[in-house]
Amino acid sequence: MLIAAVAMFACSATAHSAPARLTPADEAAAFKAAGFTLNGKQWRNCDDPTPTYSPGDVAEVRDLNGDGRLEAVITEGGTYCYGHAGTAYTVVSKQANGSWKKVTGGTGIATFLPSKGKDGWPDIEVGGPGFCFPVIRWNGREYTLNRHEYEGKSCRPNR
């Protein structure tokens, strides 16, 4: 019985820790809300002709603000469109009516921080080249610049 209980716990832990995935219909709707278009089998926001281009990808799916609905982080890569950062992110949120809406996006790497803005939305550190990154915070309408940090400490960007 002990072995059966351990096996059941392991299976349930695996099921609960599995990353969320979008249905094909939700994935298409999320990409469209983020401003991407389907080109062949690739979702694209940037018309990058170079071989180093990385097409749109759903990098993360989870409930970011605790409202019970999923958000998706969509990334795309290439220096042709995104300069030295080489990547961009877009956060989209599933609405109560089932549609998807763009929340924010920009050039760089989005890292969700434990600190929060209005309505439980996490602050986002936007990483890229350098050592002092902007942190944006949700104000109820949009994400706006809140501060700059490096490794969790306040910093001032070089101008």
Side-chain angles (χ1 to χ4, degrees), residues 45-135:
N45 191 25
C46 166
D47 191 23
D48 184 342
T50 67
T52 59
Y53 171 74
S54 298
D57 179 53
V58 177
E60 185 174 354
V61 177
R62 66 180 166 127
D63 180 2
L64 290 171
N65 63 342
D67 67 356
R69 294 189 302 269
L70 293 176
E71 280 74 43
V73 180
I74 298 174
T75 59
E76 183 179 41
T79 56
Y80 182 85
C81 291
Y82 305 116
H84 289 300
T87 190
Y89 70 94
T90 305
V91 178
V92 292
S93 179
K94 189 162 188 177
Q95 304 300 289
N97 67 5
S99 67
W100 287 82
K101 178 181 176 185
K102 180 178 176 180
V103 176
T104 191
T107 299
I109 301 165
T111 302
F112 299 100
L113 303 176
S115 53
K116 300 202 182 290
K118 189 165 175 45
D119 303 324
W121 285 94
D123 290 351
I124 303 172
E125 179 184 80
V126 182
F131 298 99
C132 187
F133 305 119
V135 174

